[in-house]
Amino acid sequence: MIITPRVRGFICLTSHPEGCAQNVENQINYVKSKGTIDGPKKVLVIGASTGFGLASRITSAFGSNAATVGVYFEKPSAEGKPGSPGWYNTAAFEQKAQEAGLYAKSINGDAFSDEIKQKTIDLIKADLGQVDLVVYSLASPRRTNPKTGVTHNSALKPIGQTFSNKTVDFHTGNVTEVSIAPANEEDIENTVAVMGGEDWEMWIDEMKKAGVLAEGAVTVAYSYIGPSLTEAVYRKGTIGRAKDHLEATAFTITDKLKDLGGKAYVSVNKALVTQASSAIPVIPLYISLLYKVMKEKGIHEGTIEQIQRLFQDRLYANGEVPTDEQGRIRIDDWEMRDDVQAEVAALWEQANTENLSEIGDLQGYRTDFFNLFGFEVDGVEYEKDVNEVVEVPGLV
Ligand code: NAD
Ligand code: NA
């Protein structure tokens, strides 16, 4: 079939297998170009099919020759409808990894469930024995807690008072004022239940009990802080409470890993266009201004550049892992530079519908958005017929 983008707001209903495969190949080539990392050898990535998780899997495999197990929630093609991008990404990754002689298998299902945790542990036991790195990179709007059976829906709301600021519809470039009413207690609790650290801790508890964590095993989860511009809706909003909880959980897990000589980290990453971040109000406008400033300064990075640097210069740099005073790895250091933030804040003041494509990188935002779904990728012939039915070689 010939596959074209079908966009509805901040999601795209279609995705392109060859474009996704090309994205994965580009990421693999980038990691290889940076040389070998003295990194992990057996890795579990939870949330392995897109965004930071996919980049973590690629960096582990092609930067450090690691065997990888990926867990994700994706859809294969069905009745002439293309599969989801993470399905095609994983198919391409596992094909390349296996061609390179690297072990690569995966499990598709709800990572929050007991069943998928058990299935993953069984696979590790049978094939790898133990893992020395667990990357936790889930982003989801809901979670069913397997112990209580309760389904929690997360909210993206400020806390305490209504938040009003500029936002952009990145398709049209329309800059408008948005007002978001404050969360109630339930919204906060639900968001913490979905995006906080409870499920990360459950994974580590189960894995430790089953003996599938190696001596000195490391686990890392991803967080975000961002500037004062987005603070009310992000870091001091409902999602920020979940990130506070996630960051606190790193200390709890580190305590539990003491006898293994293991450690849990949170890495604070840069704001990037992903399926998760395009859904947050105000953030797309911030990202389009940030991209402009960081590209002009030659310090722009995508997910693969971020994670390659995280592994090479932080987690596996040999020696103490550098962290901030709250124990967090800061790979958002370039985003948060004073000169970058001062320029973004000045542009924010001026930004309107008329000037945004000039003063902001609206085009870069849009291209990244379409790239997530395998569209607008250089070198892909979109007018050509493609087979939307693609097998994931390592799917268990
Ligand atoms: P993403 O949407 O690209 O990736 C989410 C992954 O989780 C996918 O692999 C998806 O299949 C998987 N997933 C979702 N629900 C699942 C479920 N129930 N079971 C199994 N797998 C499931 O998101 P991302 O932007 O890469 O986010 C990953 C982490 O990085 C999140 O914690 C996010 O907050 C954090 N982060 C993101 C940004 C950003 O700007 N995008 C910045 C800093 C930190
Ligand atoms: Na991810």
Side-chain angles (χ1 to χ4, degrees):
M1 65 194 292
I2 290 169
I3 308 174
T4 53
R6 282 182 45 212
V7 175
R8 296 283 176 282
F10 43 75
I11 60 163
C12 182
L13 302 172
T14 49
S15 67
H16 200 280
E18 289 186 7
C20 290
Q22 186 62 55
N23 282 335
V24 168
E25 196 177 329
N26 294 346
Q27 291 196 34
I28 292 172
N29 289 338
Y30 175 78
V31 168
K32 284 183 172 169
S33 79
K34 302 299 276 186
T36 346
I37 300 165
D38 187 13
K41 288 296 159 237
K42 295 174 182 178
V43 180
L44 169 64
V45 181
I46 303 158
S49 54
T50 58
F52 286 109
L54 173 65
S56 305
R57 196 176 185 198
I58 292 174
T59 303
S60 299
F62 289 92
S64 183
N65 278 311
T68 58
V69 171
V71 177
Y72 50 83
F73 211 3
E74 300 293 348
K75 282 201 198 85
S77 59
E79 290 151 21
K81 270 178 51 194
S84 56
W87 179 270
Y88 293 135
N89 291 340
T90 305
F93 168 81
E94 291 183 1
Q95 193 190 329
K96 291 283 177 197
Q98 294 186 359
E99 275 169 25
L102 295 166
Y103 174 97
K105 287 196 184 172
S106 57
I107 290 171
N108 187 20
D110 181 8
F112 298 128
S113 70
D114 287 339
E115 180 206 343
I116 290 297
K117 290 184 178 73
Q118 194 54 52
K119 202 172 165 186
T120 307
I121 287 168
D122 292 344
L123 176 67
I124 293 170
K125 261 192 183 159
D127 288 5
L128 303 175
Q130 295 181 322
V131 294
D132 52 11
L133 172 66
V134 179
V135 177
Y136 188 84
S137 186
L138 295 179
S140 173
R142 73 189 60 79
R143 166 177 173 239
T144 301
N145 182 323
K147 310 299 174 208
T148 62
V150 174
T151 299
H152 302 274
N153 289 291
S154 69
L156 292 162
K157 294 181 183 173
I159 294 172
Q161 55 196 32
T162 298
F163 171 69
S164 299
N165 213 323
K166 292 177 185 179
T167 192
V168 67
D169 174 336
F170 59 86
H171 295 298
T172 61
N174 259 341
V175 177
T176 54
E177 191 82 9
V178 64
S179 279
I180 313 163
N184 57 32
E185 258 332 293
E186 247 197 334
D187 290 327
I188 299 172
E189 280 165 28
N190 281 325
T191 309
V192 171
V194 179
M195 291 297 285
E198 188 179 34
D199 181 63
W200 182 24
E201 190 177 341
M202 283 182 181
W203 269 97
I204 300 300
D205 283 344
E206 294 301 318
M207 292 181 77
K208 190 176 181 223
K209 212 166 64 191
V212 295
L213 291 175
E215 272 301 308
V218 165
T219 183
V220 62
Y222 298 137
S223 189
Y224 183 67
I225 297 177
S228 49
L229 279 171
T230 60
E231 206 167 55
V233 70
Y234 196 97
R235 193 64 208 212
K236 292 196 172 151
T238 48
I239 181 74
R241 288 293 178 88
K243 291 304 186 189
D244 291 344
H245 187 270
L246 184 81
E247 291 173 13
T249 304
F251 294 100
T252 314
I253 295 176
T254 291
D255 280 341
K256 293 182 169 183
L257 295 180
K258 281 248 157 73
D259 55 335
L260 280 177
K263 198 163 163 59
Y265 291 100
V266 162
S267 171
V268 182
N269 299 347
K270 177 196 183 195
L272 283 170
V273 180
T274 63
Q275 290 181 63
S277 68
S278 10
I280 310 177
V282 184
I283 299 283
L285 179 58
Y286 169 70
I287 290 183
S288 64
L289 299 173
L290 180 74
Y291 273 26
K292 180 79 166 189
V293 171
M294 292 187 82
K295 284 179 184 177
E296 268 171 14
K297 291 179 184 288
I299 53 171
H300 176 70
E301 296 176 299
T303 49
I304 197 67
E305 289 85 358
Q306 277 269 291
I307 300 298
Q308 200 282 335
R309 193 158 67 89
L310 168 66
F311 277 46
Q312 190 151 49
D313 294 354
R314 302 285 198 278
L315 277 176
Y316 298 100
N318 289 326
E320 187 104 343
V321 175
T323 60
D324 66 13
E325 61 289 344
Q326 291 173 65
R328 303 172 296 203
I329 300 172
R330 302 299 298 266
I331 210 75
D332 65 338
D333 47 349
W334 299 349
E335 168 181 357
M336 298 312 287
R337 257 171 44 177
D338 289 345
D339 60 325
V340 171
Q341 286 304 323
E343 287 177 42
V344 171
L347 292 172
W348 185 278
E349 289 301 313
Q350 302 164 36
N352 59 38
T353 306
E354 286 64 48
N355 65 19
L356 186 61
S357 55
E358 248 345 83
I359 69 165
D361 187 22
L362 201 53
Q363 197 47 53
Y365 192 104
R366 284 195 197 118
T367 304
D368 272 13
F369 176 80
F370 283 105
N371 282 179
L372 294 176
F373 303 90
F375 296 110
E376 296 186 18
V377 178
D378 284 344
V380 178
E381 293 173 57
Y382 290 103
E383 51 301 327
K384 227 183 58 187
D385 237 332
V386 284
N387 188 355
E388 79 281 7
V389 184
V390 174
E391 302 253 319
V392 173
L395 185 64
V396 173

